[in-house]
Short mmCIF file of all heavy atoms in Angstrom, two decimals:
data_model
loop_
_atom_site.label_atom_id
_atom_site.label_comp_id
_atom_site.label_asym_id
_atom_site.label_seq_id
_atom_site.Cartn_x
_atom_site.Cartn_y
_atom_site.Cartn_z
N ALA A 1 0.84 -1.18 -0.03
CA ALA A 1 -0.03 -0.01 0.00
C ALA A 1 0.89 1.21 0.00
O ALA A 1 1.99 1.26 0.45
CB ALA A 1 -0.90 -0.02 1.20
N GLN A 2 0.32 2.30 -0.52
CA GLN A 2 1.06 3.56 -0.52
C GLN A 2 1.19 4.17 0.87
O GLN A 2 0.30 3.92 1.71
CB GLN A 2 0.37 4.51 -1.43
CG GLN A 2 0.38 4.17 -2.92
CD GLN A 2 -0.38 5.18 -3.77
OE1 GLN A 2 -1.35 5.64 -3.43
NE2 GLN A 2 0.18 5.44 -4.97
N ALA A 3 2.29 4.88 1.13
CA ALA A 3 2.49 5.54 2.43
C ALA A 3 1.47 6.63 2.74
O ALA A 3 1.04 7.29 1.76
CB ALA A 3 3.88 6.04 2.52
N ALA A 4 1.04 6.82 3.86
CA ALA A 4 0.30 7.90 4.24
C ALA A 4 0.93 9.19 4.20
O ALA A 4 2.14 9.36 4.59
CB ALA A 4 -0.37 7.68 5.72
N LEU A 5 0.29 10.22 3.71
CA LEU A 5 0.88 11.57 3.64
C LEU A 5 0.90 12.18 5.09
O LEU A 5 0.01 11.92 5.82
CB LEU A 5 -0.02 12.46 2.85
CG LEU A 5 0.42 13.89 2.68
CD1 LEU A 5 1.69 14.02 1.89
CD2 LEU A 5 -0.75 14.72 2.10
N THR A 6 2.09 12.64 5.45
CA THR A 6 2.22 13.23 6.78
C THR A 6 2.11 14.75 6.65
O THR A 6 2.45 15.35 5.61
CB THR A 6 3.60 12.79 7.41
OG1 THR A 6 4.67 13.50 6.58
CG2 THR A 6 3.82 11.36 7.51
N GLU A 7 1.69 15.39 7.72
CA GLU A 7 1.61 16.86 7.78
C GLU A 7 2.99 17.56 7.61
O GLU A 7 3.08 18.71 7.27
CB GLU A 7 0.92 17.24 9.02
CG GLU A 7 -0.48 16.81 9.10
CD GLU A 7 -1.22 17.02 10.33
OE1 GLU A 7 -0.55 17.48 11.32
OE2 GLU A 7 -2.40 16.59 10.59
N ALA A 8 4.07 16.71 7.93
CA ALA A 8 5.39 17.27 7.87
C ALA A 8 5.91 17.30 6.38
O ALA A 8 6.93 17.97 6.08
CB ALA A 8 6.35 16.52 8.67
N ASP A 9 5.27 16.64 5.52
CA ASP A 9 5.70 16.61 4.04
C ASP A 9 5.68 18.05 3.55
O ASP A 9 4.66 18.78 3.82
CB ASP A 9 4.65 15.74 3.34
CG ASP A 9 4.96 15.57 1.84
OD1 ASP A 9 4.67 16.53 1.13
OD2 ASP A 9 5.41 14.55 1.43
N PRO A 10 6.65 18.43 2.90
CA PRO A 10 6.73 19.84 2.30
C PRO A 10 5.49 20.25 1.50
O PRO A 10 4.99 21.29 1.61
CB PRO A 10 8.07 19.85 1.51
CG PRO A 10 8.88 18.74 2.00
CD PRO A 10 7.86 17.70 2.46
N GLN A 11 5.13 19.36 0.65
CA GLN A 11 3.92 19.57 -0.22
C GLN A 11 2.66 19.70 0.65
O GLN A 11 1.76 20.52 0.37
CB GLN A 11 3.78 18.42 -1.22
CG GLN A 11 2.48 18.53 -2.10
CD GLN A 11 2.61 19.31 -3.31
OE1 GLN A 11 3.57 20.03 -3.47
NE2 GLN A 11 1.72 19.18 -4.25
N ALA A 12 2.60 18.86 1.72
CA ALA A 12 1.46 18.98 2.60
C ALA A 12 1.43 20.32 3.35
O ALA A 12 0.37 20.90 3.42
CB ALA A 12 1.53 17.78 3.69
N LYS A 13 2.53 20.75 3.79
CA LYS A 13 2.70 22.03 4.45
C LYS A 13 2.36 23.13 3.56
O LYS A 13 1.52 24.02 3.94
CB LYS A 13 4.13 22.29 4.95
CG LYS A 13 4.49 21.66 6.24
CD LYS A 13 5.78 22.12 6.70
CE LYS A 13 6.25 22.00 8.13
NZ LYS A 13 5.84 21.15 9.04
N ALA A 14 2.72 23.06 2.22
CA ALA A 14 2.52 24.14 1.32
C ALA A 14 0.92 24.19 1.04
O ALA A 14 0.46 25.40 0.86
CB ALA A 14 3.19 23.84 -0.05
N LEU A 15 0.25 23.14 1.11
CA LEU A 15 -1.21 23.14 0.80
C LEU A 15 -2.01 23.12 2.15
O LEU A 15 -3.24 23.09 1.99
CB LEU A 15 -1.51 21.98 -0.09
CG LEU A 15 -1.09 22.09 -1.59
CD1 LEU A 15 -1.33 20.85 -2.34
CD2 LEU A 15 -1.91 23.28 -2.20
N GLY A 16 -1.35 23.22 3.26
CA GLY A 16 -2.15 23.20 4.44
C GLY A 16 -2.92 21.93 4.77
O GLY A 16 -4.05 22.00 5.25
N TYR A 17 -2.24 20.84 4.45
CA TYR A 17 -2.95 19.51 4.74
C TYR A 17 -2.89 19.17 6.20
O TYR A 17 -1.86 19.33 6.81
CB TYR A 17 -2.21 18.40 3.85
CG TYR A 17 -2.63 17.09 4.23
CD1 TYR A 17 -3.84 16.47 3.75
CD2 TYR A 17 -1.93 16.27 5.21
CE1 TYR A 17 -4.27 15.17 4.06
CE2 TYR A 17 -2.36 14.97 5.54
CZ TYR A 17 -3.54 14.40 4.91
OH TYR A 17 -3.93 13.15 5.24
N PHE A 18 -4.07 18.76 6.72
CA PHE A 18 -4.12 18.24 8.05
C PHE A 18 -4.82 16.81 7.95
O PHE A 18 -5.81 16.70 7.27
CB PHE A 18 -5.02 19.18 8.90
CG PHE A 18 -4.35 20.49 9.26
CD1 PHE A 18 -4.49 21.59 8.40
CD2 PHE A 18 -3.59 20.67 10.32
CE1 PHE A 18 -3.86 22.77 8.60
CE2 PHE A 18 -2.84 21.86 10.59
CZ PHE A 18 -3.06 22.96 9.70
N ALA A 19 -4.26 15.88 8.58
CA ALA A 19 -4.81 14.49 8.53
C ALA A 19 -6.22 14.42 9.29
O ALA A 19 -6.97 13.60 9.03
CB ALA A 19 -3.83 13.51 9.27
N ASP A 20 -6.38 15.45 10.19
CA ASP A 20 -7.74 15.51 10.76
C ASP A 20 -8.33 16.92 10.47
O ASP A 20 -7.82 18.00 10.94
CB ASP A 20 -7.52 15.45 12.25
CG ASP A 20 -8.88 15.68 13.09
OD1 ASP A 20 -9.92 16.04 12.42
OD2 ASP A 20 -8.95 15.31 14.22
N ALA A 21 -9.19 16.96 9.56
CA ALA A 21 -9.77 18.20 9.05
C ALA A 21 -10.15 19.20 10.11
O ALA A 21 -9.98 20.42 9.97
CB ALA A 21 -10.98 17.90 8.05
N THR A 22 -10.68 18.65 11.15
CA THR A 22 -11.16 19.60 12.30
C THR A 22 -9.95 20.30 12.99
O THR A 22 -10.18 21.19 13.77
CB THR A 22 -11.90 18.83 13.29
OG1 THR A 22 -11.16 17.86 14.06
CG2 THR A 22 -13.12 18.04 12.75
N LYS A 23 -8.75 19.93 12.69
CA LYS A 23 -7.59 20.56 13.31
C LYS A 23 -6.99 21.66 12.32
O LYS A 23 -6.06 22.31 12.58
CB LYS A 23 -6.37 19.57 13.49
CG LYS A 23 -6.84 18.42 14.43
CD LYS A 23 -6.48 18.81 15.86
CE LYS A 23 -7.07 17.93 16.87
NZ LYS A 23 -7.16 16.46 16.67
N THR A 24 -7.74 21.83 11.26
CA THR A 24 -7.29 22.92 10.26
C THR A 24 -7.12 24.30 10.95
O THR A 24 -8.01 24.62 11.71
CB THR A 24 -8.33 22.97 9.14
OG1 THR A 24 -8.36 21.75 8.40
CG2 THR A 24 -7.99 24.07 8.08
N ASP A 25 -6.06 24.91 10.59
CA ASP A 25 -5.82 26.23 11.19
C ASP A 25 -6.78 27.25 10.35
O ASP A 25 -6.47 27.65 9.29
CB ASP A 25 -4.42 26.60 10.88
CG ASP A 25 -4.02 27.93 11.48
OD1 ASP A 25 -4.91 28.77 11.80
OD2 ASP A 25 -2.75 28.14 11.59
N LYS A 26 -7.88 27.68 11.06
CA LYS A 26 -8.88 28.46 10.41
C LYS A 26 -8.40 29.95 10.23
O LYS A 26 -8.94 30.64 9.49
CB LYS A 26 -10.16 28.38 11.14
CG LYS A 26 -10.81 27.05 11.20
CD LYS A 26 -12.18 26.97 11.90
CE LYS A 26 -12.63 25.63 12.11
NZ LYS A 26 -12.01 24.91 13.33
N THR A 27 -7.35 30.30 10.98
CA THR A 27 -6.82 31.63 10.77
C THR A 27 -6.07 31.73 9.51
O THR A 27 -6.26 32.65 8.76
CB THR A 27 -5.89 31.94 11.99
OG1 THR A 27 -6.59 31.77 13.23
CG2 THR A 27 -5.45 33.45 11.94
N LYS A 28 -5.34 30.61 9.28
CA LYS A 28 -4.51 30.55 8.04
C LYS A 28 -5.41 30.18 6.81
O LYS A 28 -5.06 30.57 5.69
CB LYS A 28 -3.37 29.52 8.34
CG LYS A 28 -2.05 29.93 7.61
CD LYS A 28 -0.99 28.97 8.17
CE LYS A 28 0.25 29.02 7.18
NZ LYS A 28 1.22 27.93 7.49
N TYR A 29 -6.34 29.34 7.08
CA TYR A 29 -7.30 28.87 6.01
C TYR A 29 -8.68 29.12 6.24
O TYR A 29 -9.48 28.25 6.53
CB TYR A 29 -6.93 27.37 5.76
CG TYR A 29 -5.55 27.10 5.44
CD1 TYR A 29 -4.67 26.58 6.53
CD2 TYR A 29 -4.96 27.26 4.25
CE1 TYR A 29 -3.40 26.29 6.28
CE2 TYR A 29 -3.66 27.06 3.93
CZ TYR A 29 -2.84 26.51 4.97
OH TYR A 29 -1.50 26.36 4.75
N PRO A 30 -9.05 30.49 6.17
CA PRO A 30 -10.41 30.85 6.54
C PRO A 30 -11.50 30.23 5.62
O PRO A 30 -12.68 30.19 5.97
CB PRO A 30 -10.43 32.39 6.39
CG PRO A 30 -9.24 32.65 5.48
CD PRO A 30 -8.19 31.56 5.77
N LYS A 31 -11.12 29.70 4.47
CA LYS A 31 -12.12 29.12 3.59
C LYS A 31 -12.54 27.77 4.06
O LYS A 31 -13.58 27.18 3.63
CB LYS A 31 -11.65 29.08 2.16
CG LYS A 31 -10.62 28.01 1.79
CD LYS A 31 -10.44 27.82 0.32
CE LYS A 31 -10.13 26.48 -0.07
NZ LYS A 31 -10.25 26.11 -1.43
N TYR A 32 -11.79 27.15 5.02
CA TYR A 32 -12.26 25.93 5.51
C TYR A 32 -13.53 26.02 6.26
O TYR A 32 -13.73 26.98 7.08
CB TYR A 32 -11.15 25.31 6.55
CG TYR A 32 -11.69 24.12 7.37
CD1 TYR A 32 -11.73 22.85 6.73
CD2 TYR A 32 -12.12 24.26 8.58
CE1 TYR A 32 -12.29 21.78 7.48
CE2 TYR A 32 -12.68 23.24 9.37
CZ TYR A 32 -12.78 22.04 8.84
OH TYR A 32 -13.23 20.89 9.44
N ALA A 33 -14.44 25.13 6.04
CA ALA A 33 -15.69 25.07 6.77
C ALA A 33 -15.95 23.67 7.33
O ALA A 33 -15.55 22.72 6.70
CB ALA A 33 -16.81 25.42 5.75
N ALA A 34 -16.53 23.66 8.42
CA ALA A 34 -16.84 22.42 9.10
C ALA A 34 -17.55 21.44 8.10
O ALA A 34 -18.40 21.91 7.42
CB ALA A 34 -17.64 22.61 10.37
N GLY A 35 -17.17 20.20 8.13
CA GLY A 35 -17.78 19.23 7.31
C GLY A 35 -16.98 18.91 5.95
O GLY A 35 -17.17 17.86 5.33
N GLN A 36 -16.02 19.88 5.68
CA GLN A 36 -15.22 19.61 4.51
C GLN A 36 -14.06 18.58 4.90
O GLN A 36 -13.50 18.77 6.01
CB GLN A 36 -14.49 20.88 4.05
CG GLN A 36 -15.53 21.98 3.52
CD GLN A 36 -14.76 23.28 3.10
OE1 GLN A 36 -13.57 23.40 3.29
NE2 GLN A 36 -15.58 24.15 2.54
N ASN A 37 -13.85 17.71 4.04
CA ASN A 37 -12.74 16.69 4.26
C ASN A 37 -12.52 16.02 2.89
O ASN A 37 -13.16 16.21 1.93
CB ASN A 37 -13.00 15.68 5.41
CG ASN A 37 -14.28 14.91 5.25
OD1 ASN A 37 -14.64 14.60 4.07
ND2 ASN A 37 -14.88 14.57 6.34
N CYS A 38 -11.45 15.21 2.92
CA CYS A 38 -11.09 14.54 1.74
C CYS A 38 -12.17 13.62 1.22
O CYS A 38 -12.33 13.67 0.02
CB CYS A 38 -9.73 13.74 1.91
SG CYS A 38 -8.36 14.71 2.23
N HIS A 39 -12.96 13.06 2.13
CA HIS A 39 -14.10 12.19 1.58
C HIS A 39 -15.09 13.04 0.81
O HIS A 39 -15.65 12.45 -0.13
CB HIS A 39 -14.90 11.61 2.87
CG HIS A 39 -14.25 10.39 3.29
ND1 HIS A 39 -14.35 10.00 4.72
CD2 HIS A 39 -13.61 9.38 2.68
CE1 HIS A 39 -13.74 8.81 4.77
NE2 HIS A 39 -13.35 8.48 3.60
N SER A 40 -15.30 14.31 1.09
CA SER A 40 -16.19 15.12 0.34
C SER A 40 -15.56 15.96 -0.71
O SER A 40 -16.12 16.88 -1.22
CB SER A 40 -16.95 15.98 1.32
OG SER A 40 -16.22 16.94 1.98
N CYS A 41 -14.28 15.65 -1.00
CA CYS A 41 -13.59 16.42 -2.02
C CYS A 41 -13.53 15.75 -3.32
O CYS A 41 -13.46 14.56 -3.42
CB CYS A 41 -12.09 16.58 -1.57
SG CYS A 41 -11.06 17.45 -2.76
N ALA A 42 -13.75 16.48 -4.45
CA ALA A 42 -13.79 16.00 -5.72
C ALA A 42 -12.57 15.26 -6.17
O ALA A 42 -12.55 14.42 -7.12
CB ALA A 42 -14.13 17.15 -6.73
N LEU A 43 -11.42 15.61 -5.52
CA LEU A 43 -10.22 15.08 -5.97
C LEU A 43 -9.86 13.66 -5.24
O LEU A 43 -8.91 12.99 -5.61
CB LEU A 43 -8.93 16.01 -5.69
CG LEU A 43 -8.82 17.14 -6.79
CD1 LEU A 43 -9.98 18.17 -6.61
CD2 LEU A 43 -7.47 17.74 -6.65
N PHE A 44 -10.56 13.37 -4.21
CA PHE A 44 -10.32 12.10 -3.43
C PHE A 44 -10.66 10.90 -4.30
O PHE A 44 -11.59 10.79 -5.00
CB PHE A 44 -11.24 12.09 -2.24
CG PHE A 44 -10.88 10.94 -1.31
CD1 PHE A 44 -9.72 10.88 -0.65
CD2 PHE A 44 -11.80 9.92 -1.09
CE1 PHE A 44 -9.37 9.75 0.25
CE2 PHE A 44 -11.56 8.80 -0.18
CZ PHE A 44 -10.37 8.84 0.46
N GLN A 45 -9.57 10.07 -4.44
CA GLN A 45 -9.71 8.89 -5.34
C GLN A 45 -10.14 7.56 -4.66
O GLN A 45 -10.32 6.56 -5.30
CB GLN A 45 -8.33 8.61 -6.08
CG GLN A 45 -8.08 9.87 -6.94
CD GLN A 45 -6.63 9.77 -7.60
OE1 GLN A 45 -5.72 9.24 -7.02
NE2 GLN A 45 -6.56 10.25 -8.81
N GLY A 46 -10.28 7.59 -3.39
CA GLY A 46 -10.76 6.48 -2.69
C GLY A 46 -12.34 6.38 -2.60
O GLY A 46 -12.95 7.33 -3.17
N LYS A 47 -12.79 5.40 -1.98
CA LYS A 47 -14.24 5.29 -1.81
C LYS A 47 -14.61 6.02 -0.45
O LYS A 47 -13.71 6.25 0.34
CB LYS A 47 -14.70 3.85 -1.71
CG LYS A 47 -14.51 3.02 -3.06
CD LYS A 47 -15.31 1.71 -2.93
CE LYS A 47 -14.63 0.59 -2.40
NZ LYS A 47 -13.41 -0.11 -2.91
N ALA A 48 -15.87 6.35 -0.39
CA ALA A 48 -16.38 7.07 0.85
C ALA A 48 -16.08 6.23 2.09
O ALA A 48 -15.92 6.77 3.12
CB ALA A 48 -17.86 7.33 0.68
N SER A 49 -15.99 4.91 1.93
CA SER A 49 -15.84 3.97 3.01
C SER A 49 -14.31 3.84 3.40
O SER A 49 -14.01 3.19 4.39
CB SER A 49 -16.47 2.66 2.77
OG SER A 49 -16.03 2.11 1.67
N ASP A 50 -13.40 4.35 2.54
CA ASP A 50 -11.98 4.09 2.70
C ASP A 50 -11.43 5.12 3.78
O ASP A 50 -11.73 6.30 3.74
CB ASP A 50 -11.19 4.30 1.46
CG ASP A 50 -11.47 3.27 0.42
OD1 ASP A 50 -12.02 2.12 0.81
OD2 ASP A 50 -11.23 3.41 -0.82
N ALA A 51 -10.57 4.56 4.67
CA ALA A 51 -10.02 5.43 5.74
C ALA A 51 -8.98 6.39 5.05
O ALA A 51 -8.81 7.58 5.49
CB ALA A 51 -9.35 4.66 6.77
N ALA A 52 -8.43 5.95 3.90
CA ALA A 52 -7.45 6.83 3.15
C ALA A 52 -7.52 6.50 1.70
O ALA A 52 -7.99 5.36 1.28
CB ALA A 52 -6.08 6.56 3.70
N GLY A 53 -7.08 7.33 0.89
CA GLY A 53 -7.07 7.09 -0.54
C GLY A 53 -6.14 8.04 -1.27
O GLY A 53 -5.60 8.98 -0.66
N GLY A 54 -5.95 7.86 -2.52
CA GLY A 54 -5.18 8.80 -3.31
C GLY A 54 -5.71 10.13 -3.55
O GLY A 54 -6.86 10.34 -3.46
N CYS A 55 -4.76 10.99 -3.85
CA CYS A 55 -5.15 12.36 -4.31
C CYS A 55 -4.12 12.82 -5.29
O CYS A 55 -2.92 12.72 -5.04
CB CYS A 55 -5.08 13.34 -3.03
SG CYS A 55 -5.27 15.08 -3.55
N PRO A 56 -4.54 13.36 -6.44
CA PRO A 56 -3.64 13.67 -7.48
C PRO A 56 -2.58 14.72 -7.13
O PRO A 56 -1.58 14.86 -7.67
CB PRO A 56 -4.57 14.16 -8.60
CG PRO A 56 -5.87 14.38 -8.05
CD PRO A 56 -5.98 13.48 -6.81
N LEU A 57 -2.93 15.44 -6.04
CA LEU A 57 -2.02 16.60 -5.67
C LEU A 57 -0.87 15.94 -4.86
O LEU A 57 0.21 16.72 -4.60
CB LEU A 57 -2.68 17.59 -4.82
CG LEU A 57 -3.82 18.28 -5.55
CD1 LEU A 57 -4.46 19.40 -4.62
CD2 LEU A 57 -3.26 18.95 -6.76
N PHE A 58 -1.04 14.80 -4.39
CA PHE A 58 0.04 14.18 -3.54
C PHE A 58 0.37 12.75 -4.11
O PHE A 58 -0.01 11.73 -3.53
CB PHE A 58 -0.43 14.03 -2.10
CG PHE A 58 -0.75 15.34 -1.45
CD1 PHE A 58 -1.99 15.78 -1.28
CD2 PHE A 58 0.22 16.22 -0.98
CE1 PHE A 58 -2.38 16.97 -0.68
CE2 PHE A 58 -0.10 17.52 -0.46
CZ PHE A 58 -1.39 17.83 -0.32
N ALA A 59 0.98 12.75 -5.27
CA ALA A 59 1.32 11.49 -5.95
C ALA A 59 2.05 10.54 -5.15
O ALA A 59 3.04 10.91 -4.47
CB ALA A 59 2.02 11.79 -7.29
N GLY A 60 1.64 9.34 -5.15
CA GLY A 60 2.39 8.28 -4.40
C GLY A 60 2.02 8.11 -3.02
O GLY A 60 2.63 7.29 -2.23
N LYS A 61 1.18 9.02 -2.47
CA LYS A 61 0.81 9.04 -1.05
C LYS A 61 -0.71 8.84 -0.93
O LYS A 61 -1.44 9.06 -1.82
CB LYS A 61 1.20 10.31 -0.38
CG LYS A 61 2.73 10.60 -0.44
CD LYS A 61 3.46 9.98 0.73
CE LYS A 61 4.92 10.00 0.52
NZ LYS A 61 5.55 11.37 0.59
N GLN A 62 -1.05 8.52 0.28
CA GLN A 62 -2.41 8.35 0.61
C GLN A 62 -2.87 9.47 1.61
O GLN A 62 -2.18 9.65 2.59
CB GLN A 62 -2.76 6.99 1.26
CG GLN A 62 -2.56 5.82 0.23
CD GLN A 62 -3.75 4.82 0.26
OE1 GLN A 62 -4.24 4.51 1.29
NE2 GLN A 62 -4.08 4.48 -0.94
N VAL A 63 -4.01 10.10 1.29
CA VAL A 63 -4.50 11.12 2.18
C VAL A 63 -5.57 10.53 3.07
O VAL A 63 -6.24 9.58 2.60
CB VAL A 63 -4.99 12.38 1.41
CG1 VAL A 63 -3.86 13.04 0.67
CG2 VAL A 63 -6.09 12.12 0.55
N ALA A 64 -5.75 11.08 4.24
CA ALA A 64 -6.71 10.59 5.18
C ALA A 64 -8.09 11.06 4.72
O ALA A 64 -8.28 12.18 4.37
CB ALA A 64 -6.48 10.98 6.65
N GLY A 65 -9.18 10.10 4.80
CA GLY A 65 -10.49 10.49 4.37
C GLY A 65 -10.98 11.67 5.26
O GLY A 65 -11.67 12.48 4.80
N LYS A 66 -10.43 11.70 6.48
CA LYS A 66 -10.89 12.81 7.38
C LYS A 66 -9.97 13.99 7.33
O LYS A 66 -10.08 14.87 8.06
CB LYS A 66 -10.85 12.22 8.85
CG LYS A 66 -11.98 11.25 9.10
CD LYS A 66 -11.86 10.73 10.49
CE LYS A 66 -13.18 9.84 10.87
NZ LYS A 66 -12.74 8.87 11.84
N GLY A 67 -9.02 13.93 6.32
CA GLY A 67 -8.07 15.00 6.16
C GLY A 67 -8.63 16.24 5.38
O GLY A 67 -9.80 16.11 4.95
N TRP A 68 -7.88 17.22 5.16
CA TRP A 68 -8.27 18.39 4.46
C TRP A 68 -7.02 19.15 4.02
O TRP A 68 -5.97 19.08 4.59
CB TRP A 68 -9.07 19.29 5.35
CG TRP A 68 -9.62 20.52 4.65
CD1 TRP A 68 -10.88 20.56 4.07
CD2 TRP A 68 -9.10 21.82 4.55
NE1 TRP A 68 -11.09 21.86 3.53
CE2 TRP A 68 -9.97 22.65 3.83
CE3 TRP A 68 -7.83 22.41 4.88
CZ2 TRP A 68 -9.73 23.99 3.38
CZ3 TRP A 68 -7.60 23.77 4.55
CH2 TRP A 68 -8.56 24.55 3.85
N CYS A 69 -7.15 19.76 2.81
CA CYS A 69 -6.11 20.71 2.39
C CYS A 69 -6.82 21.88 1.65
O CYS A 69 -7.95 21.81 1.40
CB CYS A 69 -5.10 20.03 1.49
SG CYS A 69 -5.42 20.04 -0.22
N SER A 70 -5.98 22.94 1.47
CA SER A 70 -6.63 24.25 0.92
C SER A 70 -7.05 24.06 -0.56
O SER A 70 -7.63 25.03 -1.05
CB SER A 70 -5.47 25.27 1.08
OG SER A 70 -4.36 24.98 0.31
N ALA A 71 -6.76 22.94 -1.13
CA ALA A 71 -7.19 22.73 -2.59
C ALA A 71 -8.61 22.05 -2.59
O ALA A 71 -9.05 21.62 -3.64
CB ALA A 71 -6.17 21.94 -3.33
N TRP A 72 -9.19 21.84 -1.43
CA TRP A 72 -10.48 21.11 -1.34
C TRP A 72 -11.45 21.76 -2.35
O TRP A 72 -11.57 22.95 -2.43
CB TRP A 72 -11.00 21.27 0.11
CG TRP A 72 -12.30 20.49 0.29
CD1 TRP A 72 -12.50 19.19 0.64
CD2 TRP A 72 -13.67 21.00 0.10
NE1 TRP A 72 -13.75 18.85 0.73
CE2 TRP A 72 -14.55 19.96 0.40
CE3 TRP A 72 -14.13 22.27 -0.22
CZ2 TRP A 72 -15.91 20.16 0.26
CZ3 TRP A 72 -15.61 22.40 -0.30
CH2 TRP A 72 -16.43 21.35 -0.01
N ALA A 73 -12.17 20.89 -3.02
CA ALA A 73 -13.14 21.25 -4.01
C ALA A 73 -14.33 20.37 -3.82
O ALA A 73 -14.24 19.23 -3.69
CB ALA A 73 -12.64 21.14 -5.45
N LYS A 74 -15.54 20.97 -3.74
CA LYS A 74 -16.75 20.23 -3.47
C LYS A 74 -17.05 19.21 -4.56
O LYS A 74 -16.89 19.41 -5.78
CB LYS A 74 -18.00 21.22 -3.46
CG LYS A 74 -19.31 20.54 -2.94
CD LYS A 74 -20.29 21.65 -2.85
CE LYS A 74 -21.67 21.12 -2.59
NZ LYS A 74 -21.76 20.24 -1.45
N LYS A 75 -17.29 18.04 -4.05
CA LYS A 75 -17.69 16.88 -4.94
C LYS A 75 -18.91 17.22 -5.69
O LYS A 75 -19.87 17.66 -5.09
CB LYS A 75 -17.78 15.63 -4.15
CG LYS A 75 -17.66 14.33 -4.98
CD LYS A 75 -17.78 13.15 -3.99
CE LYS A 75 -16.39 12.62 -3.54
NZ LYS A 75 -16.48 11.48 -2.68
N ALA A 76 -18.98 16.99 -6.96
CA ALA A 76 -20.25 17.37 -7.74
C ALA A 76 -21.28 16.48 -7.32
O ALA A 76 -21.17 15.33 -6.94
CB ALA A 76 -19.92 17.27 -9.23
FE1 LIG B 101 -7.90 15.98 0.38
FE2 LIG B 101 -8.99 17.18 -1.65
FE3 LIG B 101 -6.87 18.17 -0.55
FE4 LIG B 101 -6.62 16.04 -1.82
S1 LIG B 101 -7.25 18.07 -2.73
S2 LIG B 101 -5.71 16.37 0.12
S3 LIG B 101 -8.61 14.92 -1.50
S4 LIG B 101 -8.89 18.06 0.43
#
């Protein structure tokens, strides 16, 4: 399986990724709204039931379903 993306990853830091969306720094990322997470993001490649899945912004890594980053986009 692919390695989990860590918050210490430079790309994760650049995009404001948090493995737990509720820990998102709302001062730095005011567009974050409660309820947003990778599961509800259009870019998440896993299933809704998957704890983690791929994201094209973090090639080769798995993002947490409960995670969030500043590139979050509402699933259609
Ligand atoms: Fe999660 Fe979407 Fe950000 Fe990828 S783009 S890390 S799926 S919020």
